[in-house]
Amino acid sequence: MKYKVNILPTAWEDLKRIEDYYLLEVGVDTALKVSNHILDILERLEDNPESGSFTHGEWLNERGYRLVICEKQVAIYKVIGDEIFVYHIADTRSDYVKLFKRSEDFSE
């Protein structure tokens, strides 16, 4: 069974920021290579939604989030039914758990 991968607006914004960074620092070829690599890895989740790892944050794991590593970035997603929702794409060195806690604070 194939799962549908939904990249949420927040993750698209993250991807755009990553692409802009590489565009300014290295050039257009590298920017496109990095963003295409991330999108390729996310596409693979269609066939293997559980292939991602648990996150480094217990808070996220308790809520069913998983991650896939895309070289220097990490994509955080959740499987709901037969769909995958990608919430954020962040630098592996960042405290990506705060991205979720901050957004949950606003929704309460």
Side-chain angles (χ1 to χ4, degrees):
M1 170 170 121
K2 273 205 184 278
Y3 287 70
K4 180 180 179 195
V5 176
N6 301 288
I7 302 174
L8 299 176
T10 51
W12 280 117
E13 290 171 19
D14 295 339
L15 185 61
K16 177 69 173 136
R17 275 193 295 275
I18 292 164
E19 193 173 80
D20 288 347
Y21 170 81
Y22 280 97
L23 179 64
L24 293 172
E25 294 295 319
V26 188
V28 69
D29 290 339
T30 301
L32 291 173
K33 182 178 175 185
V34 169
S35 62
N36 286 335
H37 177 70
I38 293 168
L39 292 171
D40 288 345
I41 288 177
L42 294 177
E43 186 178 323
R44 289 184 207 155
L45 291 173
E46 290 178 341
D47 295 316
N48 300 298
E50 300 298 325
S51 63
S53 305
F54 289 109
T55 72
H56 297 290
E58 185 177 327
W59 189 90
L60 290 174
N61 294 336
E62 290 171 353
R63 287 157 180 78
Y65 292 97
R66 299 179 73 83
L67 66 81
V68 286
I69 297 174
C70 313
E71 291 189 22
K72 294 183 180 182
Q73 286 76 36
V74 60
I76 311 296
Y77 71 96
K78 185 187 259 188
V79 179
I80 301 173
D82 60 355
E83 295 186 73
I84 296 164
F85 295 89
V86 181
Y87 290 85
H88 282 287
I89 302 168
D91 188 290
T92 56
R93 299 165 292 179
S94 68
D95 187 358
Y96 51 80
V97 176
K98 284 184 181 178
L99 297 170
F100 289 88
K101 286 186 176 181
R102 195 175 315 128
S103 59
E104 187 169 276
D105 290 342
F106 289 120
S107 65
E108 294 179 336

